[in-house]
Amino acid sequence: MHACMQSGMVFGPSLLGHKGLITSKLFPTRGAMLIETMATFGLMFFLFGVSVRMDLTGMLRPGKQAMIIGFSVFFFTTLTAGLSAFFFARYVAKETSLKESLFLIAESQTLTGFPVIACLLTELNMLNTNIGRLALSSAMFCDLLGISLTAVALAVMGNKGRGTLRPAMAILSSVALVVGIVFIIKPAIKWALNRAPKDKPISESFIRSIFLLVLVIGLLSETIGQHYVFGPLVLGLVVPDGPPLGVALISKMDALTSLVFYPTYLSISGLRTNIFEVGAQASWIVSFVVILSCTAKLAAVMAPAMYGDMPVREAFVLGLIMNAKGIVELNLYNLWKESKVLSDEEFALSVLSVIVVTAIVTPLIKYLYDPSWQYTAIKRSTIQHAKREADLRILVGIHNHDNVPAIVNLLEVSHASEGSKIAVIAIVLVELVGRATPVLVAHQPYGSLQTTKTSTNQIINALRQYEDQNEGFVTVQSFTSISPYVTMHNDIYRVGVDKRATIVIVPFHKQWAIDGSIGSVNRAIQVLNINILDSAPCSVGILVDRGILRGSMPFVNTGSPLYHVAVIYIGGADDAESLAYGDRMAQSESVELTVVRFLLFGAENTKARKLETDLIDEYRQANAGNERFVVVEEVVRDGLALSASIKEMVDCFDLILVGRNHQPSPLITALGEWCECPELGIIGDMLASPDLRCTSSVLVIQQQTMGTGKLMQHTIGTDRNQLIHDVPFDEPERGSWAITMDRSSIDRAAV
């Protein structure tokens, strides 16, 4: 916003256009009218799109805390702004117009535009946070009060000096327009939607009819004395948000309105601003009014928020968010300027107040609040450090029904038993399109399957069937997160903390086609996975699913042929977590686990190797007598030999577990140069490469990082509590064996 307005000010009378020569050349009268007309229509469709995204239910029935904050902000700020304007008006010379317009400028500070708050929270990646949700709910309720009051004010101002009957008729006309939209147009839209084919997208003719209706409603608004955006704003509120209509409308006009029309309108506002018209007396008076109004709004937010047990710091941040200014205020100031209510001086001061307040508020919020703080881990939540008999709490993220077979297969091999049950927390991840408010829905457990044939219900039904097949050993809790991909990780963090998840498992952003090539790539999912890895409150696994390449994707059940799982162990905390997960799988009679440990030739006496050996020996002892638990040790000289060994073994397994990061080693240093997907790590990226013609699925695991993920250094640690002591050391190790191979001959052949 700042860049667009400042660019307009640069070419306007505030800088280059001060003498008028450049402005007349760049923006002649006919050209300026064309740009302003385009900006006008653009603003109409932009605000229509914003209102389509708004949740009307949340606006009419906000939560108790949001309603209290909304009332407090609106009325307390209105009172404070009015009193400050009344006080400072006596310092204004009678011959200036500021004496009359000061009250309007003061009352404009009470506005809390939902579009402004939503854009700010999106920019700061705070949509999914508790503060973000509360700010959106409070802003929507404030908008309901503000739109109503503004409509009355416009009706009165537009008919000033024409008696009392004309303003009353204008107000009644506005009410009639709203009633017509709610009780005539809204049912008509729903009727047309019900008649449309359910399995096909919205027709182009229907979308064109809605856009034409926006123009007609805008014309009616202007005719009855309201602003031309009033009708489209109300119309957008009654249009069903989300799929199918809301998504179709937003997808058609979002790029044009957000990237062309909206910046054009901001630039026009900058072109109209002339800072050379600003006088010293007017500037200090308006500055004091703005400062007092913002302070009052901050106090009006903090008081009820702190009364609701919100920490002082978060309440202060919420107050800063509610003080954000943008397109709503600019639209009002432009309207007043066109109506000659504001002079050039007062308009410039009003625009500058928007720029300055936003420039102060935004960096302050960034400095005072980091969304990841509320999910920072304060205790260990990993498979390795959990008690052996503890329940395994797995949070799985699912984007579509294609992810379900691989997820359920992984849950099956995770071995739910009487002694160690599995609690599955499933989140269906849906991208937020066609609405502005993110939603996190907790699905209630049902005795029977869902009958509605939606994608989300089909996913939930599949998980319930898995729960029914493992009744008594498995519980499933289902959620749906509808939010932008860039902030979706906050919902995963939130549920993970609330449900005390041990590990989060999400699908890889690439899906394979049946011929072995990459079928689809979703970069937004890749960004989501990276965000999850950065600060997750527990361990994280990224599942690379190649089940389709085997021709079928059978579910693993007791009594079926063995499911072959491998753990690639090089060293480090992430590999230790993979080993711990593999050890749990090995308890299932349907799983055969092979731990492939790669050792660097010549590093036999290092302290790190001894610690790693102690850890693996403990797992060997714990699995003594389990013939399905096998340890293979292979000595390699360099990364080339490591790569060759991995490529030889991959097709022997159905699933491969590998740590994302490893201890610094010459074995992996050189391989990092070809890493395409850093979220998988070096070995994981190699295993997920389409160049590696194999059918094995891969689970890349990162152990929980204590603190900030980017700064955390994984270490293997010597805490003996993280190891296993269930089996005496003197019991014979049946079924576990180790070999050592020197691949020097292969290395020489490769050279």
Side-chain angles (χ1 to χ4, degrees):
M1 186 188 80
H2 280 181
C4 296
M5 292 186 63
Q6 289 168 3
S7 63
M9 294 176 67
V10 167
F11 290 100
S14 296
L15 194 59
L16 297 179
H18 181 54
K19 299 298 182 181
L21 180 62
I22 295 179
T23 303
S24 61
K25 294 293 184 181
L26 291 178
F27 305 102
T29 305
R30 291 183 60 186
M33 289 182 61
L34 179 62
I35 294 176
E36 289 186 12
T37 303
M38 184 177 70
T40 297
F41 282 103
L43 178 66
M44 183 190 303
F45 280 98
F46 176 77
L47 292 179
F48 169 71
V50 168
S51 61
V52 167
R53 293 185 178 97
M54 292 176 69
D55 181 12
L56 184 60
T57 303
M59 179 180 284
L60 297 175
R61 290 183 296 179
K64 181 180 178 181
Q65 189 175 22
M67 183 180 291
I68 293 173
I69 292 175
F71 267 118
S72 174
V73 167
F74 188 80
F75 290 109
F76 187 66
T77 310
T78 300
L79 179 63
T80 305
L83 291 176
S84 64
F86 178 78
F87 175 79
F88 286 106
R90 52 182 162 176
Y91 294 100
V92 181
K94 294 183 179 180
E95 62 274 8
T96 62
S97 59
L98 181 62
K99 197 173 188 67
E100 297 182 0
S101 59
L102 184 61
F103 181 78
L104 292 176
I105 296 175
E107 292 305 319
S108 70
Q109 307 303 314
T110 65
L111 295 175
T112 307
F114 173 82
V116 179
I117 303 298
C119 291
L120 177 65
L121 293 174
T122 302
E123 177 188 345
L124 298 177
N125 293 333
M126 291 177 58
L127 269 178
N128 297 50
T129 62
N130 295 331
I131 289 181
R133 286 188 169 90
L134 182 58
L136 284 177
S137 300
S138 303
M140 281 194 290
F141 187 71
C142 279
D143 263 359
L144 181 64
L145 301 174
I147 290 172
S148 304
L149 185 62
T150 303
V152 173
L154 288 174
V156 174
M157 290 174 56
N159 296 276
K160 191 176 181 180
R162 300 182 183 181
T164 57
L165 184 60
R166 291 293 294 272
M169 289 298 296
I171 294 174
L172 289 176
S173 299
S174 303
V175 174
L177 179 62
V178 173
V179 170
I181 291 174
V182 173
F183 293 102
I184 298 176
I185 296 178
K186 181 180 179 181
I189 293 175
K190 288 189 173 181
W191 176 81
L193 280 176
N194 291 333
R195 288 176 59 89
K198 301 297 182 182
D199 55 344
K200 293 183 180 180
I202 300 296
S203 65
E204 295 291 332
S205 59
F206 189 25
I207 294 176
R208 286 196 295 267
S209 300
I210 296 292
F211 289 160
L212 180 61
L213 186 61
V214 172
L215 297 174
V216 173
I217 296 296
L219 177 62
L220 285 176
S221 300
E222 196 72 25
T223 303
I224 64 175
Q226 286 293 335
H227 195 274
Y228 57 85
V229 302
F230 175 74
L233 202 61
V234 177
L235 177 64
L237 290 174
V238 303
V239 171
D241 62 346
L245 183 57
V247 172
L249 291 173
I250 296 302
S251 63
K252 290 292 183 184
M253 65 180 180
D254 192 44
L256 188 62
T257 56
S258 300
L259 301 180
V260 179
F261 291 148
Y262 175 60
T264 301
Y265 186 82
L266 295 176
S267 299
I268 290 295
S269 300
L271 281 170
R272 292 175 174 176
T273 305
N274 187 359
I275 60 175
F276 292 102
E277 295 286 342
V278 177
Q281 185 188 42
S283 62
W284 75 260
I285 290 176
V286 172
S287 297
F288 272 112
V289 169
V290 171
I291 291 172
L292 286 174
S293 300
C294 290
T295 305
K297 182 180 287 189
L298 187 64
V301 173
M302 290 185 66
M306 292 172 63
Y307 181 77
D309 295 329
M310 180 178 287
V312 176
R313 189 189 189 101
E314 292 186 7
F316 184 72
V317 170
L318 180 61
L320 292 177
I321 293 172
M322 299 293 282
N323 266 299
K325 303 185 183 302
I327 186 66
V328 174
E329 290 79 9
L330 289 177
N331 184 30
L332 194 60
Y333 297 148
N334 277 286
L335 172 64
W336 286 342
K337 179 176 172 59
E338 293 167 1
S339 304
K340 308 299 183 184
V341 175
L342 295 182
S343 65
D344 289 344
E345 179 186 36
E346 294 146 11
F347 177 78
L349 284 169
S350 302
V351 172
L352 288 174
S353 71
V354 172
I355 295 175
V356 171
V357 170
T358 307
I360 294 173
V361 164
T362 305
L364 263 180
I365 296 172
K366 290 181 179 179
Y367 175 75
L368 293 173
Y369 187 78
D370 183 350
S372 64
W373 287 349
Q374 59 185 321
Y375 310 116
T376 301
I378 57 175
K379 65 178 183 178
R380 284 288 186 183
S381 184
T382 68
I383 301 175
Q384 181 189 4
H385 297 89
K387 293 181 179 179
R388 193 169 178 82
E389 66 280 3
D391 292 352
L392 179 60
R393 309 183 67 83
I394 305 177
L395 192 157
V396 294
I398 302 174
H399 297 282
N400 51 58
H401 62 274
D402 293 333
N403 303 145
V404 174
I407 291 291
V408 174
N409 245 357
L410 183 61
L411 294 175
E412 287 282 5
V413 300
S414 298
H415 185 54
S417 63
E418 181 67 33
S420 181
K421 300 177 182 180
I422 292 180
V424 179
I425 307 105
I427 305 183
V428 182
L429 305 172
V430 181
E431 184 181 11
L432 181 70
V433 180
R435 53 167 62 97
T437 309
V439 178
L440 180 61
V441 180
H443 298 281
Q444 297 296 325
Y446 294 92
S448 58
L449 300 179
Q450 294 292 297
T451 56
T452 308
K453 293 184 178 180
T454 64
S455 177
T456 299
N457 284 343
Q458 290 174 354
I459 293 171
I460 294 173
N461 286 343
L463 293 172
R464 284 183 184 149
Q465 288 177 337
Y466 161 71
E467 181 182 19
D468 292 341
Q469 292 171 1
N470 296 272
E471 188 175 2
F473 302 148
V474 173
T475 59
V476 175
Q477 293 176 283
S478 300
F479 298 82
T480 296
S481 169
I482 305 175
S483 61
Y485 277 123
V486 71
T487 59
M488 194 176 284
H489 60 281
N490 286 322
D491 278 344
I492 294 175
Y493 291 172
R494 180 182 180 183
V495 175
V497 170
D498 290 345
K499 300 301 178 181
R500 296 176 287 111
T502 309
I503 185 170
V504 173
I505 296 175
V506 289
F508 189 44
H509 71 279
K510 297 179 182 179
Q511 288 188 328
W512 266 254
I514 197 167
D515 62 353
S517 62
I518 299 296
S520 63
V521 178
N522 191 325
R523 294 298 178 187
I525 294 179
Q526 182 182 25
V527 173
L528 169 64
N529 292 345
I530 292 173
N531 289 337
I532 294 172
L533 287 166
D534 184 38
S535 302
C538 58
S539 298
V540 180
I542 298 179
L543 180 59
V544 182
D545 176 28
R546 284 200 184 97
I548 193 173
L549 303 183
R550 294 182 177 271
S552 63
M553 293 176 287
F555 294 113
V556 179
N557 291 296
T558 302
S560 62
L562 286 179
Y563 191 80
H564 300 280
V565 179
V567 173
I568 295 180
Y569 196 98
I570 297 174
D574 293 351
D575 281 350
E577 187 75 357
S578 300
L579 178 59
Y581 197 2
D583 170 67
R584 182 186 177 94
M585 293 179 180
Q587 308 312 307
S588 171
E589 295 181 359
S590 299
V591 175
E592 181 180 76
L593 178 72
T594 303
V595 180
V596 184
R597 183 187 183 192
F598 289 98
L599 303 172
L600 177 63
F601 180 77
E604 294 82 1
N605 298 320
T606 61
K607 182 179 179 181
R609 178 176 293 191
K610 292 179 180 179
L611 290 173
E612 304 283 358
T613 301
D614 289 344
L615 178 64
I616 293 177
D617 284 344
E618 294 247 1
Y619 280 104
R620 279 177 171 167
Q621 292 289 338
N623 286 277
N626 183 359
E627 296 182 356
R628 299 181 311 280
F629 183 93
V630 178
V631 178
V632 177
E633 294 182 344
E634 186 164 352
V635 178
V636 291
R637 291 181 176 274
D638 52 30
L640 182 62
L642 173 65
S643 176
S645 296
I646 291 175
K647 290 177 181 178
E648 287 178 5
M649 59 170 272
V650 288
D651 266 331
C652 300
F653 302 99
D654 301 297
L655 175 66
I656 299 175
L657 308 182
V658 63
R660 181 190 178 212
N661 298 302
H662 312 277
Q663 287 183 346
S665 170
L667 293 178
I668 59 174
T669 303
L671 298 177
E673 299 176 3
W674 295 281
C675 188
E676 179 185 356
C677 301
E679 72 273 19
L680 298 181
I682 296 173
I683 305 301
D685 180 75
M686 179 196 305
L687 293 169
S689 173
D691 298 331
L692 189 65
R693 296 291 178 175
C694 72
T695 58
S696 302
S697 295
V698 181
L699 181 64
V700 179
I701 296 177
Q702 173 184 280
Q703 192 176 77
Q704 176 198 24
T705 56
M706 300 297 290
T708 303
K710 292 179 179 178
L711 303 178
M712 178 66 186
Q713 296 293 326
H714 283 295
T715 58
I716 188 63
T718 58
D719 182 9
R720 300 298 295 180
N721 292 328
Q722 72 186 11
L723 305 182
I724 305 167
H725 301 276
D726 291 354
V727 179
F729 277 85
D730 56 355
E731 184 170 336
E733 300 178 19
R734 295 183 300 273
S736 296
W737 52 278
I739 61 173
T740 302
M741 299 174 58
D742 187 350
R743 299 187 57 88
S744 57
S745 58
I746 297 178
D747 297 345
R748 287 193 295 271
V751 176

